Amino acid sequence: MSTRSELVIQDLVKAVREVLWRHDVTFEEYRAAVGFLMKYTKGPEFEVPLTCDMLFNATISDIEMKHRKGSISNLEGPYFLEAVPEIADRIKTRGEQGDELIIEGRVTDLAGNAVEGAQLYIWHSDSQGFYSGFREDLPTDLYRGRKVIGPTGAFHVRTTMPAPYTIPHDGPSGELLGFLGRHPWRPAHVHFKVRAAGFVEHTTQAYFAGGQWVDSDCVEGVRPALVHEPEERGGAKVLKINFVLDPA
Ligand code: MBD
Ligand code: FE
Protein backbone atom coordinates (compact mmCIF):
# COMPACT_ATOMS: atom_id res chain seq x y z
CA MET A 1 0.00 0.00 0.00
CA SER A 2 1.24 3.47 -0.86
CA THR A 3 1.42 6.26 1.67
CA ARG A 4 -0.59 9.41 1.11
CA SER A 5 2.59 11.36 0.25
CA GLU A 6 3.50 8.77 -2.37
CA LEU A 7 0.04 9.01 -3.97
CA VAL A 8 0.01 12.82 -4.07
CA ILE A 9 3.57 13.08 -5.41
CA GLN A 10 2.98 10.43 -8.07
CA ASP A 11 -0.11 12.33 -9.27
CA LEU A 12 1.76 15.63 -9.23
CA VAL A 13 4.57 14.28 -11.42
CA LYS A 14 2.03 12.74 -13.79
CA ALA A 15 0.23 16.10 -14.08
CA VAL A 16 3.49 17.93 -14.89
CA ARG A 17 4.43 15.31 -17.52
CA GLU A 18 1.02 15.77 -19.15
CA VAL A 19 1.69 19.51 -19.45
CA LEU A 20 5.14 18.88 -20.95
CA TRP A 21 3.54 16.60 -23.58
CA ARG A 22 0.69 19.03 -24.31
CA HIS A 23 3.12 21.85 -25.11
CA ASP A 24 5.90 19.81 -26.78
CA VAL A 25 8.37 21.26 -24.29
CA THR A 26 11.92 21.11 -25.65
CA PHE A 27 15.16 20.31 -23.89
CA GLU A 28 16.21 23.99 -24.11
CA GLU A 29 12.96 25.03 -22.44
CA TYR A 30 13.42 22.36 -19.80
CA ARG A 31 16.93 23.70 -19.08
CA ALA A 32 15.56 27.24 -18.84
CA ALA A 33 12.99 26.06 -16.29
CA VAL A 34 15.68 24.38 -14.19
CA GLY A 35 17.68 27.63 -14.42
CA PHE A 36 14.65 29.52 -13.15
CA LEU A 37 14.28 27.17 -10.16
CA MET A 38 17.99 27.67 -9.38
CA LYS A 39 17.24 31.34 -8.67
CA TYR A 40 15.46 30.19 -5.50
CA THR A 41 18.76 28.86 -4.15
CA LYS A 42 20.52 32.19 -4.70
CA GLY A 43 17.92 34.57 -3.25
CA PRO A 44 16.45 35.10 0.21
CA GLU A 45 14.89 32.09 1.94
CA PHE A 46 11.38 33.59 2.01
CA GLU A 47 11.07 33.25 -1.79
CA VAL A 48 10.15 29.56 -1.54
CA PRO A 49 7.23 29.95 0.92
CA LEU A 50 6.22 33.14 -0.89
CA THR A 51 5.85 31.36 -4.24
CA CYS A 52 4.06 28.40 -2.64
CA ASP A 53 1.64 30.66 -0.74
CA MET A 54 1.07 32.80 -3.82
CA LEU A 55 0.07 29.81 -5.94
CA PHE A 56 -1.50 27.30 -3.53
CA ASN A 57 -2.32 28.63 -0.04
CA ALA A 58 -5.80 29.85 -1.06
CA THR A 59 -6.54 26.47 -2.60
CA ILE A 60 -5.65 24.67 0.64
CA SER A 61 -7.98 27.04 2.56
CA ASP A 62 -10.79 26.25 0.13
CA ILE A 63 -10.21 22.50 0.46
CA GLU A 64 -10.35 22.86 4.24
CA MET A 65 -13.87 24.29 3.89
CA LYS A 66 -15.08 21.00 2.35
CA HIS A 67 -14.85 19.53 5.83
CA ARG A 68 -16.13 22.50 7.83
CA LYS A 69 -19.51 24.13 8.40
CA GLY A 70 -18.40 27.30 10.22
CA SER A 71 -17.27 30.61 8.78
CA ILE A 72 -14.94 30.57 5.80
CA SER A 73 -11.17 30.12 6.12
CA ASN A 74 -8.61 32.19 4.27
CA LEU A 75 -4.84 32.64 3.96
CA GLU A 76 -2.77 33.09 7.08
CA GLY A 77 -0.06 34.91 5.14
CA PRO A 78 3.52 35.39 6.34
CA TYR A 79 2.94 37.98 9.09
CA PHE A 80 1.17 36.18 11.93
CA LEU A 81 3.01 36.46 15.28
CA GLU A 82 2.22 34.38 18.38
CA ALA A 83 3.49 36.87 20.94
CA VAL A 84 1.13 39.84 20.82
CA PRO A 85 -0.39 42.03 23.54
CA GLU A 86 -3.78 41.17 24.97
CA ILE A 87 -6.14 44.03 24.20
CA ALA A 88 -9.32 45.34 25.81
CA ASP A 89 -11.01 47.29 23.02
CA ARG A 90 -8.24 49.09 21.17
CA ILE A 91 -5.35 47.98 18.97
CA LYS A 92 -2.33 50.25 19.39
CA THR A 93 -1.58 52.14 16.17
CA ARG A 94 0.43 55.15 15.16
CA GLY A 95 -2.97 56.84 15.20
CA GLU A 96 -1.95 59.90 13.26
CA GLN A 97 -2.67 58.35 9.87
CA GLY A 98 -5.56 56.50 8.30
CA ASP A 99 -9.27 56.21 8.91
CA GLU A 100 -10.51 54.73 12.13
CA LEU A 101 -11.80 51.17 11.85
CA ILE A 102 -14.12 49.48 14.32
CA ILE A 103 -14.32 45.70 14.12
CA GLU A 104 -17.20 44.06 15.93
CA GLY A 105 -19.07 40.79 16.01
CA ARG A 106 -19.35 37.53 17.89
CA VAL A 107 -17.49 34.26 18.25
CA THR A 108 -19.91 31.35 18.36
CA ASP A 109 -20.23 27.62 17.81
CA LEU A 110 -22.28 26.21 14.92
CA ALA A 111 -25.49 26.60 16.96
CA GLY A 112 -24.85 30.27 17.70
CA ASN A 113 -23.77 29.84 21.31
CA ALA A 114 -21.00 32.15 22.57
CA VAL A 115 -17.54 30.59 22.78
CA GLU A 116 -16.35 32.11 26.03
CA GLY A 117 -12.58 32.18 26.48
CA ALA A 118 -11.83 32.02 22.74
CA GLN A 119 -8.69 33.91 21.76
CA LEU A 120 -9.20 36.24 18.81
CA TYR A 121 -5.96 37.36 17.16
CA ILE A 122 -6.25 40.39 14.89
CA TRP A 123 -3.41 41.74 12.74
CA HIS A 124 -3.22 44.09 9.79
CA SER A 125 -0.94 46.55 8.02
CA ASP A 126 -0.46 50.22 8.86
CA SER A 127 -1.72 52.91 6.50
CA GLN A 128 1.28 52.29 4.21
CA GLY A 129 0.84 48.54 3.90
CA PHE A 130 3.59 47.57 6.38
CA TYR A 131 3.28 44.95 9.13
CA SER A 132 4.69 45.43 12.63
CA GLY A 133 7.50 43.11 13.63
CA PHE A 134 8.87 43.09 10.09
CA ARG A 135 10.30 46.61 10.09
CA GLU A 136 12.62 48.26 12.60
CA ASP A 137 10.30 51.25 13.03
CA LEU A 138 7.18 49.14 13.72
CA PRO A 139 7.43 47.22 17.02
CA THR A 140 5.19 44.18 17.44
CA ASP A 141 2.75 45.80 19.87
CA LEU A 142 1.40 47.94 17.02
CA TYR A 143 -1.35 46.86 14.60
CA ARG A 144 -1.80 43.54 16.43
CA GLY A 145 -3.79 42.31 19.35
CA ARG A 146 -5.29 39.29 21.07
CA LYS A 147 -8.79 39.67 22.43
CA VAL A 148 -10.11 37.18 24.98
CA ILE A 149 -13.80 36.59 24.29
CA GLY A 150 -16.23 36.99 27.19
CA PRO A 151 -19.49 35.21 28.10
CA THR A 152 -21.66 36.92 25.44
CA GLY A 153 -19.26 35.99 22.64
CA ALA A 154 -19.23 39.62 21.49
CA PHE A 155 -16.16 41.71 20.71
CA HIS A 156 -15.64 45.34 19.75
CA VAL A 157 -12.17 46.53 18.77
CA ARG A 158 -10.99 49.88 17.52
CA THR A 159 -8.02 50.28 15.16
CA THR A 160 -7.11 52.01 11.88
CA MET A 161 -7.74 51.01 8.27
CA PRO A 162 -5.08 48.81 6.64
CA ALA A 163 -3.76 49.62 3.16
CA PRO A 164 -3.02 47.63 0.01
CA TYR A 165 0.33 45.87 0.03
CA THR A 166 2.79 44.59 -2.58
CA ILE A 167 4.33 41.21 -1.93
CA PRO A 168 8.13 41.19 -2.46
CA HIS A 169 8.47 41.01 -6.24
CA ASP A 170 12.10 41.67 -7.12
CA GLY A 171 12.97 37.95 -6.97
CA PRO A 172 11.74 34.77 -8.67
CA SER A 173 8.25 35.05 -7.09
CA GLY A 174 7.86 38.40 -8.83
CA GLU A 175 9.20 36.96 -12.07
CA LEU A 176 6.63 34.18 -11.84
CA LEU A 177 3.86 36.76 -11.33
CA GLY A 178 5.09 38.36 -14.56
CA PHE A 179 4.78 35.04 -16.44
CA LEU A 180 1.22 34.75 -15.09
CA GLY A 181 0.39 38.30 -16.22
CA ARG A 182 -0.31 39.38 -12.66
CA HIS A 183 0.64 42.49 -10.64
CA PRO A 184 2.15 42.16 -7.13
CA TRP A 185 -0.64 43.86 -5.14
CA ARG A 186 -2.91 42.54 -2.41
CA PRO A 187 -6.02 44.56 -1.52
CA ALA A 188 -6.30 46.07 1.98
CA HIS A 189 -7.25 43.34 4.44
CA VAL A 190 -7.49 42.41 8.11
CA HIS A 191 -6.27 39.04 9.38
CA PHE A 192 -7.98 36.99 12.07
CA LYS A 193 -7.18 33.78 13.89
CA VAL A 194 -9.51 32.29 16.50
CA ARG A 195 -8.38 29.63 18.93
CA ALA A 196 -10.64 27.95 21.45
CA ALA A 197 -10.43 24.65 23.33
CA GLY A 198 -12.60 22.03 21.66
CA PHE A 199 -12.79 23.85 18.31
CA VAL A 200 -10.85 23.82 15.05
CA GLU A 201 -8.42 26.73 14.83
CA HIS A 202 -9.95 29.26 12.45
CA THR A 203 -7.78 31.52 10.27
CA THR A 204 -9.30 34.03 7.89
CA GLN A 205 -9.19 37.54 6.43
CA ALA A 206 -11.64 40.36 5.71
CA TYR A 207 -11.54 42.56 2.60
CA PHE A 208 -13.33 45.81 1.78
CA ALA A 209 -15.87 46.17 -1.04
CA GLY A 210 -14.74 48.57 -3.74
CA GLY A 211 -11.15 48.60 -2.48
CA GLN A 212 -8.24 48.72 -4.89
CA TRP A 213 -7.09 45.25 -6.09
CA VAL A 214 -10.06 43.41 -4.51
CA ASP A 215 -10.82 41.98 -7.94
CA SER A 216 -7.24 41.02 -8.79
CA ASP A 217 -5.49 39.98 -5.55
CA CYS A 218 -2.04 38.70 -6.54
CA VAL A 219 -2.34 35.67 -4.25
CA GLU A 220 -5.93 35.05 -5.39
CA GLY A 221 -7.19 34.94 -1.79
CA VAL A 222 -10.35 37.06 -2.05
CA ARG A 223 -13.64 35.16 -1.75
CA PRO A 224 -17.05 36.92 -2.11
CA ALA A 225 -18.11 35.92 1.43
CA LEU A 226 -15.04 37.72 2.82
CA VAL A 227 -15.66 41.07 1.12
CA HIS A 228 -17.39 43.46 3.52
CA GLU A 229 -19.18 46.75 2.96
CA PRO A 230 -18.25 48.70 6.10
CA GLU A 231 -20.84 51.00 7.70
CA GLU A 232 -19.99 54.56 8.71
CA ARG A 233 -20.30 55.48 12.39
CA GLY A 234 -19.13 58.83 13.71
CA GLY A 235 -16.38 59.17 11.10
CA ALA A 236 -15.18 55.60 11.60
CA LYS A 237 -15.69 52.59 9.37
CA VAL A 238 -17.39 49.63 11.01
CA LEU A 239 -16.54 46.08 9.95
CA LYS A 240 -19.13 43.64 11.26
CA ILE A 241 -17.89 40.08 11.29
CA ASN A 242 -18.86 36.89 13.08
CA PHE A 243 -16.67 33.87 13.58
CA VAL A 244 -18.45 30.53 13.65
CA LEU A 245 -16.19 27.75 14.87
CA ASP A 246 -16.33 24.08 13.95
CA PRO A 247 -15.98 21.51 16.70
CA ALA A 248 -12.58 19.83 16.87
C1 MBD B 1 0.20 39.28 3.04
O1 MBD B 1 -0.03 40.35 3.83
C2 MBD B 1 -0.73 38.28 3.05
O2 MBD B 1 -1.80 38.44 3.83
C3 MBD B 1 -0.56 37.16 2.24
C4 MBD B 1 -1.59 36.07 2.25
C5 MBD B 1 0.54 37.05 1.42
C6 MBD B 1 1.49 38.05 1.41
C7 MBD B 1 1.31 39.17 2.22
FE1 FE C 1 -1.67 40.24 5.05
Side-chain angles (χ1 to χ4, degrees):
M1 212 190 58
S2 299
T3 66
R4 195 170 145 73
S5 309
E6 283 166 356
L7 288 176
V8 173
I9 290 166
Q10 285 162 15
D11 262 5
L12 187 61
V13 171
K14 198 169 142 206
V16 173
R17 287 180 182 153
E18 277 163 13
V19 172
L20 300 180
W21 276 100
R22 195 179 317 138
H23 294 280
D24 293 335
V25 170
T26 65
F27 191 64
E28 286 68 33
E29 290 165 334
Y30 165 72
R31 291 292 294 263
V34 173
F36 175 77
L37 288 177
M38 286 304 290
K39 293 183 184 178
Y40 285 87
T41 68
K42 310 256 150 61
E45 235 171 56
F46 68 75
E47 287 286 349
V48 172
L50 181 62
T51 287
C52 293
D53 287 357
M54 192 173 92
L55 298 178
F56 305 119
N57 190 334
T59 305
I60 302 289
S61 296
D62 289 345
I63 293 169
E64 186 179 67
M65 287 314 295
K66 278 173 60 179
H67 312 287
R68 292 191 37 205
K69 297 195 178 73
S71 40
I72 167 176
S73 299
N74 200 227
L75 314 166
E76 175 168 309
Y79 300 127
F80 172 68
L81 294 178
E82 292 282 347
V84 292
E86 184 177 332
I87 52 168
D89 57 4
R90 187 178 283 275
I91 289 177
K92 201 170 151 194
T93 66
R94 290 259 151 103
E96 72 283 356
Q97 0 84 323
D99 295 331
E100 281 223 274
L101 175 65
I102 294 166
I103 307 172
E104 58 184 31
R106 289 183 76 221
V107 179
T108 69
D109 64 15
L110 294 178
N113 303 304
V115 181
E116 185 177 2
Q119 312 259 336
L120 170 62
Y121 293 78
I122 304 177
W123 72 105
H124 62 82
S125 78
D126 70 1
S127 63
Q128 319 235 65
F130 300 125
Y131 282 87
S132 71
F134 295 86
R135 285 174 70 91
E136 298 246 317
D137 58 336
L138 283 180
T140 57
D141 61 329
L142 295 172
Y143 304 99
R144 298 175 185 276
R146 178 174 54 88
K147 172 82 190 162
V148 181
I149 300 300
T152 66
F155 61 87
H156 174 100
V157 170
R158 194 173 268 274
T159 184
T160 51
M161 277 294 284
Y165 163 92
T166 49
I167 66 168
H169 57 282
D170 52 2
S173 302
E175 206 178 324
L176 202 50
L177 279 175
F179 284 126
L180 296 170
R182 305 187 67 86
H183 61 69
W185 288 91
R186 295 216 70 215
H189 57 276
V190 181
H191 292 266
F192 303 95
K193 186 187 282 293
V194 195
R195 288 179 175 157
F199 294 89
V200 178
E201 179 174 295
H202 178 50
T203 304
T204 193
Q205 299 192 23
Y207 306 91
F208 300 94
Q212 217 178 355
W213 319 112
V214 167
D215 298 323
S216 63
D217 179 11
C218 67
V219 301
E220 298 177 74
V222 179
R223 298 290 173 273
L226 301 173
V227 180
H228 299 260
E229 186 89 61
E231 293 172 14
E232 297 281 340
R233 186 188 299 158
K237 293 207 159 50
V238 184
L239 169 63
K240 291 191 168 171
I241 186 165
N242 294 321
F243 301 107
V244 181
L245 305 184
D246 285 81

